[in-house]
Amino acid sequence: MNRIGSTFAVALLAVSTVGVQHAGAQSYLMPSTPERGIWLEASHPNIKSPLEVTTPSSAWFLSGRHPVTSRISGVAEAPFAYGKLDIAGLPEGDGSTVFGNPYLGMEFAHSDRVTLELGARIPMTTADEDSFGDVVGVLADPLRSEAFLEDVVPLSGAVSFRETLPVGEGATVRARGGIVTMFYTGDDEELDETTTFVDYGVTGTYPIGIARMGAGVSGRWNASESEGKFSDNSLHQLGLSADASVRGFIRPGISLRVPLDKDYRDLVGSTVGLYVQVSMP
């Protein structure tokens, strides 16, 4: 377990250069989620040798949204991850299951096009120095790694803009920008007490009958890092998705995320995801 843990620690360090991404309750590269409902995401990273993980290794996010007033909604998310390693030359180890830091937030619909977000994650992860399910979670979606980090309290604020396009019927484009301040609560004196990150992204959705096709780019920049270039302190992903309406209120879908930065590409070729959204009356 110690050698396995050390190997994964190197992987975690490589993809955590920019810390964490937005603390929202969904991957920004997913299509719009229900105004009232729940959704489940599962992501499996294609980790390159020697960090081979078994097929069941994946990160899971169970989320929901419920309107409080006509303009304000509450949002919550529960993350968990499972990892099992298959490294050449090492005996097969046991699987590692980790429950992450849950998210609680509020969304305020300023208008039909503009939404403001405020939220935080509660530091309740079961990750420890011997676990590696949490590292699988980070590698599956490093732009949401705060869901599995230890000894941190991320507070976030963001604004999202949505515009209907004059193409097709119901085609939309969404842009998002935000700030995350991560408060470190551990005992390591070498780590900064607070670190600030800038989130950004744009994604489009095009409906075709009962189906939706989506594509977008999302990234984040470590604004607290004074050394290095922008490319050294930022991380980006390209995302594609497709889903279809079943019975009018259930939407199963599939997604693909591809890293755009070399350090991440050296570890993960791509991440394949499955999701389902359930709208409620």
Side-chain angles (χ1 to χ4, degrees):
M1 180 71 73
N2 288 338
R3 289 183 63 189
I4 291 175
S6 299
T7 303
F8 261 81
V10 173
L12 178 60
L13 179 62
V15 299
S16 296
T17 305
V18 296
V20 300
Q21 170 65 1
H22 72 83
Q26 74 168 85
S27 168
Y28 185 67
L29 296 175
M30 277 181 56
S32 298
T33 47
E35 293 183 3
R36 184 197 304 266
I38 59 175
W39 54 95
L40 177 66
E41 306 167 57
S43 299
H44 172 74
N46 176 22
I47 301 176
K48 298 180 179 179
S49 181
L51 299 176
E52 300 290 346
V53 297
T54 60
T55 300
S57 299
S58 53
W60 296 72
F61 298 87
L62 177 62
S63 311
R65 175 184 292 108
H66 189 277
V68 179
T69 69
S70 60
R71 290 185 175 272
I72 299 176
S73 297
V75 184
E77 175 201 270
F80 56 99
Y82 172 81
K84 192 171 184 179
L85 296 176
D86 182 13
I87 298 180
L90 293 179
E92 184 175 338
D94 297 329
S96 169
T97 300
V98 170
F99 292 91
N101 301 313
Y103 171 83
L104 294 175
M106 300 292 292
E107 296 177 348
F108 173 70
H110 180 267
S111 67
D112 292 338
R113 302 164 66 189
V114 179
T115 301
L116 306 177
E117 309 168 25
L118 291 174
R121 286 191 180 272
I122 305 172
M124 295 176 58
T125 181
T126 60
D128 56 34
E129 60 182 9
D130 293 325
S131 64
F132 51 86
D134 51 318
V135 184
V136 170
V138 170
L139 292 176
D141 191 354
L143 301 186
R144 201 165 16 163
S145 58
E146 77 279 9
F148 298 103
L149 295 181
E150 299 176 70
D151 301 324
V152 296
V153 179
L155 303 181
S156 64
V159 57
S160 298
F161 177 83
R162 180 179 182 274
E163 181 67 34
T164 301
L165 299 177
V167 213
E169 185 177 347
T172 60
V173 62
R174 292 179 293 131
R176 183 180 187 278
I179 293 177
V180 175
T181 297
M182 185 173 69
F183 296 88
Y184 177 63
T185 61
D187 299 326
D188 191 338
E189 296 182 356
E190 295 184 2
L191 296 179
D192 294 336
E193 293 184 0
T194 61
T195 309
T196 298
F197 308 92
V198 177
D199 304 335
Y200 43 88
V202 60
T203 184
T205 303
Y206 189 85
I208 306 174
I210 64 171
R212 292 186 302 183
M213 309 296 290
V217 176
S218 183
R220 70 117 56 242
W221 169 56
N222 186 346
S224 295
E225 181 56 62
S226 58
E227 299 182 1
K229 299 179 295 185
F230 175 81
S231 59
D232 298 325
N233 301 315
S234 59
L235 193 62
H236 305 84
Q237 286 184 325
L238 168 68
L240 303 173
S241 66
D243 60 35
S245 176
V246 179
R247 294 189 176 184
F249 67 96
I250 300 176
R251 278 193 172 273
I254 186 170
S255 66
L256 174 67
R257 291 195 301 271
V258 180
L260 299 179
D261 303 277
K262 185 180 183 303
D263 287 344
Y264 185 26
R265 285 200 311 269
D266 289 342
L267 289 173
V268 178
S270 61
T271 297
V272 176
L274 297 175
Y275 62 89
V276 60
Q277 301 177 358
V278 181
S279 299
M280 296 182 176

